[in-house]
PDB file of all heavy atoms in Angstrom:
ATOM      1  N   PHE A1101      36.788 184.376 148.026  1.00 79.00           N
ATOM      2  CA  PHE A1101      37.104 183.303 149.003  1.00 79.00           C
ATOM      3  C   PHE A1101      36.327 183.415 150.264  1.00 79.00           C
ATOM      4  O   PHE A1101      35.914 182.436 150.889  1.00 79.00           O
ATOM      5  CB  PHE A1101      38.580 183.378 149.384  1.00 79.00           C
ATOM      6  CG  PHE A1101      39.496 182.809 148.357  1.00 79.00           C
ATOM      7  CD1 PHE A1101      40.269 183.673 147.520  1.00 79.00           C
ATOM      8  CD2 PHE A1101      39.641 181.486 148.062  1.00 79.00           C
ATOM      9  CE1 PHE A1101      41.129 183.218 146.528  1.00 79.00           C
ATOM     10  CE2 PHE A1101      40.455 180.971 147.086  1.00 79.00           C
ATOM     11  CZ  PHE A1101      41.159 181.908 146.329  1.00 79.00           C
ATOM     12  N   ASP A1102      35.925 184.641 150.653  1.00 79.00           N
ATOM     13  CA  ASP A1102      35.116 184.842 151.858  1.00 79.00           C
ATOM     14  C   ASP A1102      33.724 184.261 151.583  1.00 79.00           C
ATOM     15  O   ASP A1102      33.218 183.553 152.519  1.00 79.00           O
ATOM     16  CB  ASP A1102      34.963 186.318 152.239  1.00 79.00           C
ATOM     17  CG  ASP A1102      34.279 186.617 153.507  1.00 79.00           C
ATOM     18  OD1 ASP A1102      34.504 185.815 154.476  1.00 79.00           O
ATOM     19  OD2 ASP A1102      33.394 187.479 153.568  1.00 79.00           O
ATOM     20  N   GLU A1103      33.164 184.551 150.428  1.00 79.00           N
ATOM     21  CA  GLU A1103      31.847 183.955 150.162  1.00 79.00           C
ATOM     22  C   GLU A1103      31.853 182.425 149.963  1.00 79.00           C
ATOM     23  O   GLU A1103      31.025 181.705 150.320  1.00 79.00           O
ATOM     24  CB  GLU A1103      31.294 184.621 148.975  1.00 79.00           C
ATOM     25  CG  GLU A1103      29.849 184.213 148.517  1.00 79.00           C
ATOM     26  CD  GLU A1103      29.426 184.977 147.321  1.00 79.00           C
ATOM     27  OE1 GLU A1103      29.352 186.182 147.393  1.00 79.00           O
ATOM     28  OE2 GLU A1103      29.033 184.341 146.293  1.00 79.00           O
ATOM     29  N   LEU A1104      32.993 182.040 149.336  1.00 75.00           N
ATOM     30  CA  LEU A1104      33.130 180.577 149.024  1.00 75.00           C
ATOM     31  C   LEU A1104      33.533 179.649 150.197  1.00 75.00           C
ATOM     32  O   LEU A1104      32.785 178.654 150.466  1.00 75.00           O
ATOM     33  CB  LEU A1104      34.199 180.425 147.953  1.00 75.00           C
ATOM     34  CG  LEU A1104      34.379 179.103 147.285  1.00 75.00           C
ATOM     35  CD1 LEU A1104      33.097 178.641 146.495  1.00 75.00           C
ATOM     36  CD2 LEU A1104      35.627 179.000 146.428  1.00 75.00           C
ATOM     37  N   ILE A1105      34.516 180.126 150.988  1.00 80.00           N
ATOM     38  CA  ILE A1105      34.950 179.261 152.086  1.00 80.00           C
ATOM     39  C   ILE A1105      35.080 179.974 153.436  1.00 80.00           C
ATOM     40  O   ILE A1105      35.659 179.477 154.410  1.00 80.00           O
ATOM     41  CB  ILE A1105      36.317 178.548 151.827  1.00 80.00           C
ATOM     42  CG1 ILE A1105      37.340 179.505 151.402  1.00 80.00           C
ATOM     43  CG2 ILE A1105      36.071 177.530 150.664  1.00 80.00           C
ATOM     44  CD1 ILE A1105      38.742 178.940 151.214  1.00 80.00           C
ATOM     45  N   GLY A1106      34.660 181.276 153.422  1.00 80.00           N
ATOM     46  CA  GLY A1106      34.775 182.066 154.752  1.00 80.00           C
ATOM     47  C   GLY A1106      36.164 182.465 155.074  1.00 80.00           C
ATOM     48  O   GLY A1106      36.468 182.634 156.253  1.00 80.00           O
ATOM     49  N   LYS A1107      37.022 182.655 154.046  1.00 83.00           N
ATOM     50  CA  LYS A1107      38.434 183.099 154.293  1.00 83.00           C
ATOM     51  C   LYS A1107      38.736 184.292 153.456  1.00 83.00           C
ATOM     52  O   LYS A1107      38.056 184.554 152.388  1.00 83.00           O
ATOM     53  CB  LYS A1107      39.424 181.901 154.000  1.00 83.00           C
ATOM     54  CG  LYS A1107      39.279 180.761 154.980  1.00 83.00           C
ATOM     55  CD  LYS A1107      40.387 179.821 154.873  1.00 83.00           C
ATOM     56  CE  LYS A1107      40.282 178.777 156.015  1.00 83.00           C
ATOM     57  NZ  LYS A1107      41.565 178.150 156.185  1.00 83.00           N
ATOM     58  N   THR A1108      39.784 185.039 153.777  1.00 85.00           N
ATOM     59  CA  THR A1108      40.164 186.151 153.059  1.00 85.00           C
ATOM     60  C   THR A1108      41.492 186.006 152.351  1.00 85.00           C
ATOM     61  O   THR A1108      42.478 185.528 152.949  1.00 85.00           O
ATOM     62  CB  THR A1108      40.379 187.361 153.990  1.00 85.00           C
ATOM     63  OG1 THR A1108      39.076 187.541 154.625  1.00 85.00           O
ATOM     64  CG2 THR A1108      40.730 188.669 153.308  1.00 85.00           C
ATOM     65  N   LEU A1109      41.625 186.444 151.103  1.00 86.00           N
ATOM     66  CA  LEU A1109      42.879 186.385 150.352  1.00 86.00           C
ATOM     67  C   LEU A1109      43.812 187.373 150.993  1.00 86.00           C
ATOM     68  O   LEU A1109      43.549 188.574 150.937  1.00 86.00           O
ATOM     69  CB  LEU A1109      42.650 186.678 148.844  1.00 86.00           C
ATOM     70  CG  LEU A1109      43.805 186.749 147.918  1.00 86.00           C
ATOM     71  CD1 LEU A1109      44.474 185.320 147.877  1.00 86.00           C
ATOM     72  CD2 LEU A1109      43.349 187.177 146.518  1.00 86.00           C
ATOM     73  N   VAL A1110      44.943 186.973 151.430  1.00 88.00           N
ATOM     74  CA  VAL A1110      46.008 187.894 152.070  1.00 88.00           C
ATOM     75  C   VAL A1110      47.294 188.042 151.293  1.00 88.00           C
ATOM     76  O   VAL A1110      47.996 188.968 151.547  1.00 88.00           O
ATOM     77  CB  VAL A1110      46.169 187.560 153.504  1.00 88.00           C
ATOM     78  CG1 VAL A1110      44.970 187.654 154.406  1.00 88.00           C
ATOM     79  CG2 VAL A1110      46.838 186.094 153.630  1.00 88.00           C
ATOM     80  N   CYS A1111      47.512 187.119 150.346  1.00 89.00           N
ATOM     81  CA  CYS A1111      48.820 187.166 149.688  1.00 89.00           C
ATOM     82  C   CYS A1111      48.648 186.431 148.308  1.00 89.00           C
ATOM     83  O   CYS A1111      47.937 185.441 148.280  1.00 89.00           O
ATOM     84  CB  CYS A1111      49.896 186.466 150.464  1.00 89.00           C
ATOM     85  SG  CYS A1111      51.491 186.527 149.691  1.00 89.00           S
ATOM     86  N   ALA A1112      49.298 186.981 147.341  1.00 92.00           N
ATOM     87  CA  ALA A1112      49.265 186.264 145.998  1.00 92.00           C
ATOM     88  C   ALA A1112      50.691 186.459 145.431  1.00 92.00           C
ATOM     89  O   ALA A1112      51.329 187.528 145.499  1.00 92.00           O
ATOM     90  CB  ALA A1112      48.279 186.959 145.083  1.00 92.00           C
ATOM     91  N   LEU A1113      51.124 185.358 144.808  1.00 94.00           N
ATOM     92  CA  LEU A1113      52.430 185.307 144.098  1.00 94.00           C
ATOM     93  C   LEU A1113      52.134 184.773 142.650  1.00 94.00           C
ATOM     94  O   LEU A1113      51.328 183.934 142.456  1.00 94.00           O
ATOM     95  CB  LEU A1113      53.390 184.471 144.792  1.00 94.00           C
ATOM     96  CG  LEU A1113      53.704 184.757 146.249  1.00 94.00           C
ATOM     97  CD1 LEU A1113      54.537 183.633 146.854  1.00 94.00           C
ATOM     98  CD2 LEU A1113      54.504 186.040 146.334  1.00 94.00           C
ATOM     99  N   ALA A1114      52.852 185.261 141.699  1.00 95.00           N
ATOM    100  CA  ALA A1114      52.720 184.854 140.308  1.00 95.00           C
ATOM    101  C   ALA A1114      54.131 184.572 139.728  1.00 95.00           C
ATOM    102  O   ALA A1114      54.998 185.250 140.057  1.00 95.00           O
ATOM    103  CB  ALA A1114      51.944 185.873 139.489  1.00 95.00           C
ATOM    104  N   GLN A1115      54.107 183.568 138.857  1.00 94.00           N
ATOM    105  CA  GLN A1115      55.388 183.257 138.189  1.00 94.00           C
ATOM    106  C   GLN A1115      54.977 182.721 136.769  1.00 94.00           C
ATOM    107  O   GLN A1115      54.089 181.858 136.591  1.00 94.00           O
ATOM    108  CB  GLN A1115      56.162 182.115 138.868  1.00 94.00           C
ATOM    109  CG  GLN A1115      57.428 181.841 138.209  1.00 94.00           C
ATOM    110  CD  GLN A1115      58.255 180.856 139.036  1.00 94.00           C
ATOM    111  OE1 GLN A1115      58.103 180.700 140.182  1.00 94.00           O
ATOM    112  NE2 GLN A1115      59.136 180.165 138.352  1.00 94.00           N
ATOM    113  N   THR A1116      55.693 183.175 135.792  1.00 92.00           N
ATOM    114  CA  THR A1116      55.451 182.704 134.499  1.00 92.00           C
ATOM    115  C   THR A1116      56.064 181.327 134.342  1.00 92.00           C
ATOM    116  O   THR A1116      56.989 180.912 135.029  1.00 92.00           O
ATOM    117  CB  THR A1116      56.133 183.620 133.350  1.00 92.00           C
ATOM    118  OG1 THR A1116      57.446 183.786 133.643  1.00 92.00           O
ATOM    119  CG2 THR A1116      55.370 184.870 133.219  1.00 92.00           C
ATOM    120  N   LYS A1117      55.494 180.484 133.440  1.00 87.00           N
ATOM    121  CA  LYS A1117      55.990 179.144 133.191  1.00 87.00           C
ATOM    122  C   LYS A1117      57.414 179.239 132.577  1.00 87.00           C
ATOM    123  O   LYS A1117      57.737 180.285 131.962  1.00 87.00           O
ATOM    124  CB  LYS A1117      55.075 178.367 132.249  1.00 87.00           C
ATOM    125  CG  LYS A1117      53.672 178.184 132.790  1.00 87.00           C
ATOM    126  CD  LYS A1117      53.792 177.085 133.855  1.00 87.00           C
ATOM    127  CE  LYS A1117      52.355 176.662 134.238  1.00 87.00           C
ATOM    128  NZ  LYS A1117      52.330 175.549 135.153  1.00 87.00           N
ATOM    129  N   SER A1118      58.229 178.259 132.775  1.00 73.00           N
ATOM    130  CA  SER A1118      59.573 178.305 132.326  1.00 73.00           C
ATOM    131  C   SER A1118      59.833 178.471 130.840  1.00 73.00           C
ATOM    132  O   SER A1118      60.830 178.864 130.415  1.00 73.00           O
ATOM    133  CB  SER A1118      60.299 177.033 132.844  1.00 73.00           C
ATOM    134  OG  SER A1118      59.709 175.893 132.207  1.00 73.00           O
ATOM    135  N   THR A1119      58.826 178.099 130.016  1.00 64.00           N
ATOM    136  CA  THR A1119      58.936 178.302 128.594  1.00 64.00           C
ATOM    137  C   THR A1119      58.559 179.702 128.128  1.00 64.00           C
ATOM    138  O   THR A1119      58.716 179.973 126.952  1.00 64.00           O
ATOM    139  CB  THR A1119      57.974 177.304 127.876  1.00 64.00           C
ATOM    140  OG1 THR A1119      56.664 177.481 128.273  1.00 64.00           O
ATOM    141  CG2 THR A1119      58.454 175.895 128.207  1.00 64.00           C
ATOM    142  N   SER A1120      58.161 180.539 129.041  1.00 70.00           N
ATOM    143  CA  SER A1120      57.785 181.904 128.683  1.00 70.00           C
ATOM    144  C   SER A1120      58.975 182.786 128.312  1.00 70.00           C
ATOM    145  O   SER A1120      60.006 182.661 128.944  1.00 70.00           O
ATOM    146  CB  SER A1120      56.912 182.510 129.712  1.00 70.00           C
ATOM    147  OG  SER A1120      56.578 183.880 129.393  1.00 70.00           O
ATOM    148  N   ALA A1121      58.849 183.779 127.422  1.00 80.00           N
ATOM    149  CA  ALA A1121      59.843 184.714 127.096  1.00 80.00           C
ATOM    150  C   ALA A1121      59.688 185.973 127.979  1.00 80.00           C
ATOM    151  O   ALA A1121      60.216 187.017 127.633  1.00 80.00           O
ATOM    152  CB  ALA A1121      59.846 185.069 125.613  1.00 80.00           C
ATOM    153  N   ALA A1122      58.809 185.918 128.942  1.00 88.00           N
ATOM    154  CA  ALA A1122      58.522 186.995 129.844  1.00 88.00           C
ATOM    155  C   ALA A1122      58.706 186.662 131.395  1.00 88.00           C
ATOM    156  O   ALA A1122      58.740 185.484 131.652  1.00 88.00           O
ATOM    157  CB  ALA A1122      57.114 187.476 129.610  1.00 88.00           C
ATOM    158  N   VAL A1123      58.867 187.554 132.168  1.00 92.00           N
ATOM    159  CA  VAL A1123      59.011 187.429 133.629  1.00 92.00           C
ATOM    160  C   VAL A1123      58.087 188.324 134.413  1.00 92.00           C
ATOM    161  O   VAL A1123      57.806 189.476 133.938  1.00 92.00           O
ATOM    162  CB  VAL A1123      60.459 187.667 134.113  1.00 92.00           C
ATOM    163  CG1 VAL A1123      61.453 186.713 133.527  1.00 92.00           C
ATOM    164  CG2 VAL A1123      60.920 189.093 133.817  1.00 92.00           C
ATOM    165  N   VAL A1124      57.567 187.850 135.475  1.00 94.00           N
ATOM    166  CA  VAL A1124      56.664 188.694 136.377  1.00 94.00           C
ATOM    167  C   VAL A1124      57.567 189.600 137.134  1.00 94.00           C
ATOM    168  O   VAL A1124      58.512 189.202 137.755  1.00 94.00           O
ATOM    169  CB  VAL A1124      55.878 187.786 137.340  1.00 94.00           C
ATOM    170  CG1 VAL A1124      55.141 188.628 138.344  1.00 94.00           C
ATOM    171  CG2 VAL A1124      54.853 186.926 136.541  1.00 94.00           C
ATOM    172  N   THR A1125      57.162 190.911 137.121  1.00 95.00           N
ATOM    173  CA  THR A1125      57.993 191.890 137.849  1.00 95.00           C
ATOM    174  C   THR A1125      57.280 192.323 139.081  1.00 95.00           C
ATOM    175  O   THR A1125      57.901 192.866 140.012  1.00 95.00           O
ATOM    176  CB  THR A1125      58.246 193.140 137.045  1.00 95.00           C
ATOM    177  OG1 THR A1125      57.018 193.657 136.477  1.00 95.00           O
ATOM    178  CG2 THR A1125      59.179 192.706 135.858  1.00 95.00           C
ATOM    179  N   SER A1126      55.918 192.096 139.253  1.00 96.00           N
ATOM    180  CA  SER A1126      55.169 192.483 140.446  1.00 96.00           C
ATOM    181  C   SER A1126      53.811 191.758 140.438  1.00 96.00           C
ATOM    182  O   SER A1126      53.367 191.449 139.387  1.00 96.00           O
ATOM    183  CB  SER A1126      55.094 193.948 140.644  1.00 96.00           C
ATOM    184  OG  SER A1126      54.135 194.478 139.760  1.00 96.00           O
ATOM    185  N   CYS A1127      53.287 191.633 141.662  1.00 96.00           N
ATOM    186  CA  CYS A1127      52.092 190.990 141.791  1.00 96.00           C
ATOM    187  C   CYS A1127      51.460 191.511 143.082  1.00 96.00           C
ATOM    188  O   CYS A1127      52.078 191.521 144.133  1.00 96.00           O
ATOM    189  CB  CYS A1127      52.240 189.401 141.937  1.00 96.00           C
ATOM    190  SG  CYS A1127      50.807 188.495 142.143  1.00 96.00           S
ATOM    191  N   ARG A1128      50.199 192.011 143.031  1.00 95.00           N
ATOM    192  CA  ARG A1128      49.498 192.478 144.219  1.00 95.00           C
ATOM    193  C   ARG A1128      47.993 192.190 144.155  1.00 95.00           C
ATOM    194  O   ARG A1128      47.409 192.075 143.060  1.00 95.00           O
ATOM    195  CB  ARG A1128      49.869 194.000 144.422  1.00 95.00           C
ATOM    196  CG  ARG A1128      49.121 194.871 143.435  1.00 95.00           C
ATOM    197  CD  ARG A1128      49.389 196.325 143.668  1.00 95.00           C
ATOM    198  NE  ARG A1128      48.538 197.162 142.890  1.00 95.00           N
ATOM    199  CZ  ARG A1128      47.324 197.681 143.327  1.00 95.00           C
ATOM    200  NH1 ARG A1128      46.876 197.403 144.553  1.00 95.00           N
ATOM    201  NH2 ARG A1128      46.611 198.442 142.500  1.00 95.00           N
ATOM    202  N   ILE A1129      47.426 192.227 145.340  1.00 93.00           N
ATOM    203  CA  ILE A1129      45.998 192.017 145.409  1.00 93.00           C
ATOM    204  C   ILE A1129      45.327 193.403 145.261  1.00 93.00           C
ATOM    205  O   ILE A1129      45.676 194.374 145.832  1.00 93.00           O
ATOM    206  CB  ILE A1129      45.617 191.475 146.763  1.00 93.00           C
ATOM    207  CG1 ILE A1129      46.268 190.099 146.947  1.00 93.00           C
ATOM    208  CG2 ILE A1129      44.070 191.330 146.910  1.00 93.00           C
ATOM    209  CD1 ILE A1129      46.169 189.518 148.434  1.00 93.00           C
ATOM    210  N   ALA A1130      44.332 193.455 144.300  1.00 88.00           N
ATOM    211  CA  ALA A1130      43.604 194.684 144.039  1.00 88.00           C
ATOM    212  C   ALA A1130      42.116 194.372 144.135  1.00 88.00           C
ATOM    213  O   ALA A1130      41.535 193.944 143.116  1.00 88.00           O
ATOM    214  CB  ALA A1130      44.035 195.237 142.711  1.00 88.00           C
ATOM    215  N   SER A1131      41.480 194.580 145.218  1.00 80.00           N
ATOM    216  CA  SER A1131      40.117 194.226 145.493  1.00 80.00           C
ATOM    217  C   SER A1131      39.780 192.814 145.144  1.00 80.00           C
ATOM    218  O   SER A1131      40.246 191.843 145.684  1.00 80.00           O
ATOM    219  CB  SER A1131      39.149 195.265 145.046  1.00 80.00           C
ATOM    220  OG  SER A1131      39.206 195.280 143.610  1.00 80.00           O
ATOM    221  N   SER A1132      38.973 192.565 144.098  1.00 81.00           N
ATOM    222  CA  SER A1132      38.553 191.271 143.633  1.00 81.00           C
ATOM    223  C   SER A1132      39.435 190.657 142.582  1.00 81.00           C
ATOM    224  O   SER A1132      39.031 189.703 141.869  1.00 81.00           O
ATOM    225  CB  SER A1132      37.119 191.242 143.218  1.00 81.00           C
ATOM    226  OG  SER A1132      36.945 192.039 142.077  1.00 81.00           O
ATOM    227  N   SER A1133      40.647 191.183 142.418  1.00 90.00           N
ATOM    228  CA  SER A1133      41.593 190.632 141.375  1.00 90.00           C
ATOM    229  C   SER A1133      42.925 190.716 141.872  1.00 90.00           C
ATOM    230  O   SER A1133      43.260 191.248 142.852  1.00 90.00           O
ATOM    231  CB  SER A1133      41.376 191.486 140.076  1.00 90.00           C
ATOM    232  OG  SER A1133      41.792 192.754 140.291  1.00 90.00           O
ATOM    233  N   ILE A1134      43.829 190.050 141.086  1.00 94.00           N
ATOM    234  CA  ILE A1134      45.227 190.067 141.309  1.00 94.00           C
ATOM    235  C   ILE A1134      45.866 190.815 140.163  1.00 94.00           C
ATOM    236  O   ILE A1134      45.689 190.418 138.952  1.00 94.00           O
ATOM    237  CB  ILE A1134      45.867 188.588 141.500  1.00 94.00           C
ATOM    238  CG1 ILE A1134      45.200 187.950 142.673  1.00 94.00           C
ATOM    239  CG2 ILE A1134      47.385 188.738 141.644  1.00 94.00           C
ATOM    240  CD1 ILE A1134      45.529 186.430 142.765  1.00 94.00           C
ATOM    241  N   GLU A1135      46.598 191.885 140.442  1.00 96.00           N
ATOM    242  CA  GLU A1135      47.258 192.644 139.353  1.00 96.00           C
ATOM    243  C   GLU A1135      48.618 192.124 139.199  1.00 96.00           C
ATOM    244  O   GLU A1135      49.458 192.090 140.223  1.00 96.00           O
ATOM    245  CB  GLU A1135      47.285 194.153 139.866  1.00 96.00           C
ATOM    246  CG  GLU A1135      47.881 195.034 138.798  1.00 96.00           C
ATOM    247  CD  GLU A1135      48.039 196.451 139.316  1.00 96.00           C
ATOM    248  OE1 GLU A1135      47.042 197.177 139.102  1.00 96.00           O
ATOM    249  OE2 GLU A1135      49.091 196.899 139.757  1.00 96.00           O
ATOM    250  N   VAL A1136      48.965 191.721 137.987  1.00 96.00           N
ATOM    251  CA  VAL A1136      50.347 191.213 137.681  1.00 96.00           C
ATOM    252  C   VAL A1136      50.968 192.088 136.654  1.00 96.00           C
ATOM    253  O   VAL A1136      50.329 192.456 135.656  1.00 96.00           O
ATOM    254  CB  VAL A1136      50.157 189.741 137.146  1.00 96.00           C
ATOM    255  CG1 VAL A1136      51.528 189.168 136.933  1.00 96.00           C
ATOM    256  CG2 VAL A1136      49.457 188.896 138.180  1.00 96.00           C
TER     257      VAL A1136
END
């Protein structure tokens, strides 16, 4: 985002779609990726 629009990723949230048989238990920013 810094290179693209000059901003920094500060928070990320994830949620599985309602039809999924799974649930997200944690989500965090890990350098250039989001760990879910």
Side-chain angles (χ1 to χ4, degrees):
F1101 287 102
D1102 185 43
E1103 184 177 303
L1104 188 67
I1105 59 173
K1107 294 191 173 200
T1108 302
L1109 178 64
V1110 294
C1111 180
L1113 303 168
Q1115 180 175 340
T1116 54
K1117 297 287 192 170
S1118 61
T1119 58
S1120 178
V1123 295
V1124 171
T1125 56
S1126 71
C1127 178
R1128 72 178 190 92
I1129 300 169
S1131 66
S1132 65
S1133 67
I1134 298 172
E1135 182 184 278
V1136 181

